[in-house]
Amino acid sequence: MRTLYATGDPAKLGAAVDATASEGRALVSELPGFRGMGLFVDRELGKLFTATWWDDEKSRQDSDEQLRERRAVELAPFAQTAAVDNWEAAVARPPRSVGPGAWFRLARLEFDPADTDRLANFFRDVALPRLDALPGFEGGSLLVDRAKGRASVGVVWSDRDALAASRAGVAAIRGEATAQARVITRSIEEFEVVFAGVAPPS
């Protein structure tokens, strides 16, 4: 997976969202190995987050060369900062398709690289089943950077009420992850979903 996190003037966010949702989405969907994309925004603070899914690492690398220049065009003049990260999808149950009205929570984690498999096992065997039992759960994934000991957990909820209602349950899961998977939570953010959808493996 590749993620993009951009920040800027909230008043200029709308144009960047429109460009990413139209031209950007059309362009990326034509590239070999593309599986899906999510676009998430915080309109109040001026944040834009995208995630793209690929069949394999080669497809992701090849796409980056074709999209790098176009990405800057789509984000101008909104983006004052932009960070691109590449990840392994260690455990994934992404949503098939959701749109406006859905919400997204992103947690950033750090851990000892030696504990990567411990974290992946915890998310697959403990966290994901418990998330799935919460009302409004639409999908969730654990993305890892094994070399750097970093991870992102993204979970999509059917609407803002479900997102809010899930906070206590998700906090309890994070507490267990701290103890059992030996992770540190660095940040938690919540975003409005513009769209998100990932095709199942062929």
Side-chain angles (χ1 to χ4, degrees):
M1 283 191 64
R2 178 171 52 250
T3 60
L4 166 69
Y5 185 85
T7 66
D9 183 347
K12 299 177 180 177
L13 175 60
V17 171
D18 291 344
T20 303
S22 54
E23 294 95 333
R25 188 181 189 182
L27 175 62
V28 73
S29 65
E30 295 177 353
L31 297 178
F34 173 78
R35 286 267 308 282
M37 179 177 179
L39 173 58
F40 316 98
V41 297
D42 182 330
R43 298 183 190 274
E44 183 176 358
L45 296 181
K47 297 187 288 186
L48 181 151
F49 182 78
T50 68
T52 52
W53 292 74
W54 304 92
D55 282 336
D56 49 45
E57 178 64 5
K58 184 178 186 305
S59 297
R60 187 205 58 75
Q61 289 178 341
D62 291 347
S63 72
D64 193 50
E65 296 178 4
Q66 301 181 61
L67 296 173
R68 192 177 295 116
E69 291 184 5
R70 184 62 195 172
R71 191 182 300 139
V73 173
E74 290 170 3
L75 294 176
F78 159 70
Q80 296 170 336
T81 67
V84 176
D85 290 294
N86 298 302
W87 306 92
E88 170 195 345
V91 182
R93 192 189 297 171
R96 291 288 182 92
S97 181
V98 293
W103 279 73
F104 173 72
R105 182 180 295 117
L106 175 69
R108 301 180 193 276
L109 313 176
E110 290 185 4
F111 54 93
D112 186 324
D115 288 332
T116 303
D117 290 338
R118 177 191 292 268
L119 173 58
N121 291 339
F122 175 86
F123 190 81
R124 183 190 64 237
D125 298 337
V126 179
L128 197 54
R130 287 175 58 181
L131 288 168
D132 193 27
L134 294 175
F137 174 79
E138 294 285 349
S141 299
L142 168 69
L143 313 180
V144 300
D145 182 332
R146 292 177 181 268
K148 296 180 179 179
R150 300 186 306 147
S152 290
V153 174
V155 179
V156 175
W157 302 91
S158 58
D159 53 45
R160 194 167 192 172
D161 288 343
L163 174 91
S166 74
R167 288 171 184 153
V170 173
I173 296 170
R174 278 198 302 272
E176 291 187 33
T178 300
Q180 296 186 33
R182 301 195 290 234
V183 301
I184 297 171
T185 300
R186 287 297 184 187
S187 68
I188 303 168
E189 298 176 88
E190 295 178 345
F191 296 84
E192 168 193 341
V193 175
V194 180
F195 65 82
V198 180
S202 55

